[in-house]
Amino acid sequence: MSDFNILHNPRCSKSRQTLALLQENGIEPTIIEYLKTPPSEKELSAIIKNLGVSPRDVLRKKEAEYKEAGLDNQELTDKQVINLMVQYPKVIERPIVFNDKAAAVGRPPENVLNIIK
């Protein structure tokens, strides 16, 4: 199976719990601190496709940047939403564990067990 990556925020308890769960299961993912190094539009599009959801399903709607970026505009296309997510990475739900074939949001952390087993 492909190596795993995690879009990680070390200040987030769910992100830390998900990383610990991966490590307990023998997986040392590549840690991407997405607030420092946001994914590209292409990378984020691929992750969202592997999640099998719409971009809006992985938005943190309570972040100030959500409104600041105009993401509350329901007329934005998926491509526009993804572009704004790249520009405002704080609005990306965390953590997301992924490889080139699968992805899962670690809320709750146990969700990632579905893609690593």
Side-chain angles (χ1 to χ4, degrees):
M1 188 177 282
S2 301
D3 293 330
F4 284 93
N5 305 282
I6 182 171
L7 292 183
H8 180 63
N9 179 347
R11 297 184 60 185
C12 171
S13 63
K14 294 294 183 205
S15 200
R16 291 191 308 270
Q17 291 168 10
T18 300
L19 179 58
L21 183 63
L22 291 169
Q23 292 168 333
E24 288 165 13
N25 281 274
I27 294 173
E28 284 298 332
T30 299
I31 298 170
I32 302 166
E33 287 191 38
Y34 70 97
L35 295 177
K36 293 179 183 175
T37 310
S40 69
E41 179 187 343
K42 183 178 176 183
E43 291 165 331
L44 189 56
S45 293
I47 292 166
I48 291 169
K49 181 180 178 194
N50 283 340
L51 283 169
V53 299
S54 96
R56 289 193 177 279
D57 293 331
V58 288
L59 284 173
R60 297 178 59 83
K61 296 175 177 78
K62 293 182 181 172
E63 294 292 340
E65 289 84 348
Y66 176 79
K67 276 202 164 192
E68 182 183 312
L71 284 160
D72 53 344
N73 178 352
Q74 298 301 312
E75 294 184 18
L76 294 175
T77 65
D78 285 353
K79 184 174 177 54
Q80 290 171 315
V81 170
I82 290 170
N83 273 326
L84 288 168
M85 291 169 82
V86 170
Q87 290 176 49
Y88 297 86
K90 207 170 188 184
V91 301
I92 300 171
E93 185 61 88
R94 62 178 181 260
I96 300 176
V97 176
F98 66 97
N99 63 14
D100 58 353
K101 296 181 176 123
V105 176
R107 288 187 172 271
E110 294 76 23
N111 281 352
V112 302
L113 294 175
N114 296 327
I115 65 167
I116 66 169
K117 302 260 177 182

